[in-house]
Amino acid sequence: MKAHTEYLTFHTKKRRELVRLTPTLDAILAKSGIVDGFMLVSAMHITAAVFVNDDESGLHEDIWEWLEKLAPFKREYEHHRTGEDNGDAHLKSMLVHHEVTVPITEGRLDLGPWQQVFYAEFDGQRDKRLIVKALGI
Amino acid sequence: MKAHTEYLTFHTKKRRELVRLTPTLDAILAKSGIVDGFMLVSAMHITAAVFVNDDESGLHEDIWEWLEKLAPFKREYEHHRTGEDNGDAHLKSMLVHHEVTVPITEGRLDLGPWQQVFYAEFDGQRDKRLIVKALGI
Amino acid sequence: MKAHTEYLTFHTKKRRELVRLTPTLDAILAKSGIVDGFMLVSAMHITAAVFVNDDESGLHEDIWEWLEKLAPFKREYEHHRTGEDNGDAHLKSMLVHHEVTVPITEGRLDLGPWQQVFYAEFDGQRDKRLIVKALGI
C-alpha cells in the first residue's frame, strides 16, 4: 500500500474563479505510482470548494449565478462582526462541499467522459492551499 | 490490502428517478472479500448524484419538490446555448453531490438503521454509469 | 495497512446544535497509530450532518439562518404523513452532506489553519450515532 501527498497553492486574480484541476491531478497520480485506489482532493480553506462537473463556459456562468442566488454576497452576515466581509464565501463552500474523492483504476483517474475536477475560489486574490492525497496499491 | 471495482449502468424510464442501491452494494461488497475499509459510490455523469437518506416515499416527494425549488428546470440557462436543456440537472448534481463514501466494517456496509444509498437521476432515459470501488483489508 | 473504527454518540440538549469534533478526532487518530491515510467521519442518522468550516460564533448564526432559509422547518412536508415532523432535518442533512473525509499526514489530521470538523444535529434530544474510520499506513 502506498500514500502520496502534494499541496497546491492558488492565488487567483479575481475574487471568485474556477480552476480546472484534472491535468494537474493526472500528473500527481503519475508521480505517485498508485494504480488502484482513491485520490482525495480537498481545499484547506473554508472559503473555497472542490467539485466535479462539466468544463463548459455557459454552465460555469449558470453556476456562479446559482451560487449567488442561494448564498448571496451581502453586508448583513453576523460573521462580519469579526471585520471579515466573506460570509457568503463560507456558505458557498458548504453548499458546494470542500472535497471530492476520485477513484483511481489501472493507474488513471477513473472519471466519466465529461467529468472534470474544479477548484472553486470564493474569496481569492491571496494564497490558498489545497491537499491532494492518493491512497492505494 | 485489496481493491475491488464494479461499474453499474442505469437507464431510467423517467427523466428524473431515484434508485435504491444498497442491496446491489451489499452484493458487490460480498464479492470483494473486503472486511474493513471504504466503499466509494460515485456517479460518472454530471447530471446525476448519489446520496444517503431514508427510503420513505413521502420524503422522496419532498426531496423532488425541494430540488426543483433550489435548482429549477427552466429554459434560460446559459448552458442551453450548447443545444442542451439540462442545466438544472447539472446544478441538482452539484447540490446533492455526485458521490458518497460508505464505511465497511466486519464485512458489512456500516450504515445506520435508516441509511440507504440512492442513485439520483436528473437527466435519464439513456445509459448512465456509476463506479463502485471498495478499498481495504 | 491498518483500519481503526470508533463510534460516537451524541444526545444534544437542543433540537439543533453544532458540536466541534476536531479534538475528539485527534484523540481517535492517536489511538489508531495511523500516520498516512484517510479518516472518514460520517453521521449514521439521516437527520444530521458533518462538515468542515470555521469555529466562529457569528458564522454559526449565519449557517443556521441560511439552512432555515434553504430547507425550512414547516408542517407541510409529505414525510410528515408518517407522523414525523422532521422533514426539514432530512433536507438539511442532504444540503450539508452527512460525511467528510479528512486526510491524515505524519500522524496528524492534515487540516488547514481554520478548518474544524463539526457534527450538525438537526433533530436531536435523543441518542444519535456517528462513525469514525481511519484507514492507512
Side-chain angles (χ1 to χ4, degrees):
Chain A
M1 186 196 184
K2 292 178 201 170
H4 180 85
T5 306
E6 297 205 16
Y7 303 90
L8 306 178
T9 301
F10 302 94
H11 190 120
T12 58
K13 288 188 181 172
K14 290 184 287 179
R15 181 156 186 177
R16 297 183 184 84
E17 210 166 308
L18 298 185
V19 182
R20 190 165 67 97
L21 297 182
T22 326
T24 306
L25 302 179
D26 286 338
I28 292 172
L29 179 56
K31 277 198 276 178
S32 78
I34 291 171
V35 294
D36 206 347
F38 298 149
M39 178 182 277
L40 177 68
V41 184
S42 185
M44 300 185 79
H45 288 259
I46 51 196
T47 52
V50 178
F51 69 92
V52 170
N53 215 291
D54 199 357
D55 189 18
E56 197 280 299
S57 61
L59 178 67
H60 293 185
E61 292 178 49
D62 295 325
I63 289 171
W64 285 114
E65 188 179 326
W66 178 68
L67 290 175
E68 206 51 44
K69 191 175 147 208
L70 292 193
F73 180 80
K74 59 180 189 183
R75 293 189 184 279
E76 300 77 14
Y77 289 114
E78 298 299 327
H79 182 52
H80 296 175
R81 294 181 309 205
T82 62
E84 297 279 0
D85 68 347
N86 61 2
D88 71 302
H90 289 271
L91 301 182
K92 286 177 171 91
S93 171
M94 287 187 64
L95 181 62
V96 177
H97 220 59
H98 73 290
E99 57 167 18
V100 298
T101 301
V102 183
I104 301 163
T105 308
E106 296 180 3
R108 297 181 58 189
L109 295 178
D110 204 346
L111 294 163
W114 303 100
Q115 286 186 309
Q116 296 284 340
V117 185
F118 289 93
Y119 173 71
E121 178 61 81
F122 303 126
D123 186 24
Q125 297 170 317
R126 52 190 172 110
D127 282 0
K128 304 278 284 272
R129 292 212 306 162
L130 175 143
I131 181 170
V132 180
K133 188 182 284 281
L135 188 73
I137 300 167
Chain B
M1 187 194 182
K2 294 177 200 170
H4 180 85
T5 306
E6 298 205 13
Y7 303 90
L8 305 178
T9 301
F10 302 94
H11 190 120
T12 58
K13 288 188 180 171
K14 289 184 289 180
R15 181 156 186 176
R16 297 183 185 84
E17 210 166 308
L18 298 185
V19 182
R20 190 166 68 97
L21 297 182
T22 326
T24 306
L25 302 179
D26 286 337
I28 292 172
L29 180 56
K31 276 198 277 178
S32 78
I34 291 171
V35 295
D36 207 348
F38 298 150
M39 177 182 277
L40 177 69
V41 184
S42 184
M44 300 184 79
H45 289 258
I46 51 195
T47 51
V50 178
F51 69 93
V52 169
N53 216 293
D54 199 357
D55 189 18
E56 198 279 300
S57 62
L59 178 67
H60 293 183
E61 292 178 49
D62 294 326
I63 289 170
W64 285 115
E65 189 180 324
W66 178 69
L67 290 175
E68 205 52 42
K69 190 176 147 207
L70 292 193
F73 180 80
K74 59 180 189 183
R75 294 189 183 279
E76 298 78 14
Y77 289 113
E78 299 299 327
H79 182 51
H80 296 175
R81 294 181 308 205
T82 61
E84 296 280 359
D85 69 347
N86 62 1
D88 71 303
H90 289 272
L91 300 181
K92 287 177 172 91
S93 170
M94 287 187 64
L95 181 63
V96 177
H97 220 58
H98 73 289
E99 58 170 18
V100 298
T101 302
V102 183
I104 301 163
T105 308
E106 296 181 1
R108 298 181 57 188
L109 295 178
D110 204 347
L111 294 164
W114 303 101
Q115 287 186 310
Q116 296 284 341
V117 185
F118 290 92
Y119 173 72
E121 177 61 82
F122 303 127
D123 186 24
Q125 298 170 318
R126 54 192 172 109
D127 282 359
K128 303 279 283 273
R129 292 212 306 163
L130 176 142
I131 180 170
V132 180
K133 186 181 287 280
L135 187 73
I137 299 167
Chain C
M1 184 194 185
K2 294 178 200 170
H4 180 83
T5 307
E6 297 205 16
Y7 303 89
L8 305 178
T9 301
F10 302 93
H11 190 121
T12 57
K13 287 187 181 172
K14 290 184 287 180
R15 182 156 187 176
R16 297 183 184 84
E17 209 166 310
L18 298 185
V19 182
R20 189 165 69 96
L21 297 182
T22 326
T24 306
L25 302 179
D26 286 337
I28 291 172
L29 179 56
K31 276 198 277 178
S32 77
I34 292 171
V35 294
D36 207 348
F38 298 149
M39 178 182 277
L40 177 68
V41 185
S42 184
M44 300 184 79
H45 288 258
I46 51 196
T47 52
V50 178
F51 69 93
V52 170
N53 215 293
D54 199 357
D55 189 17
E56 198 279 298
S57 61
L59 178 68
H60 293 185
E61 291 177 50
D62 294 326
I63 289 171
W64 285 115
E65 188 179 325
W66 178 68
L67 290 174
E68 205 52 43
K69 190 176 147 205
L70 292 193
F73 180 81
K74 60 180 188 181
R75 294 189 183 278
E76 299 77 14
Y77 290 113
E78 298 300 326
H79 182 50
H80 296 175
R81 292 182 308 208
T82 62
E84 297 279 359
D85 69 346
N86 62 0
D88 71 303
H90 289 272
L91 300 181
K92 287 177 172 90
S93 170
M94 288 186 64
L95 181 62
V96 178
H97 220 58
H98 74 290
E99 59 170 19
V100 298
T101 301
V102 182
I104 300 163
T105 309
E106 296 181 2
R108 297 181 59 189
L109 295 178
D110 204 347
L111 293 164
W114 303 101
Q115 286 186 309
Q116 296 285 339
V117 185
F118 289 93
Y119 173 72
E121 178 61 80
F122 303 126
D123 186 23
Q125 297 170 318
R126 54 191 171 109
D127 282 0
K128 304 278 284 273
R129 291 213 307 162
L130 176 143
I131 181 170
V132 180
K133 187 182 286 279
L135 188 73
I137 300 166

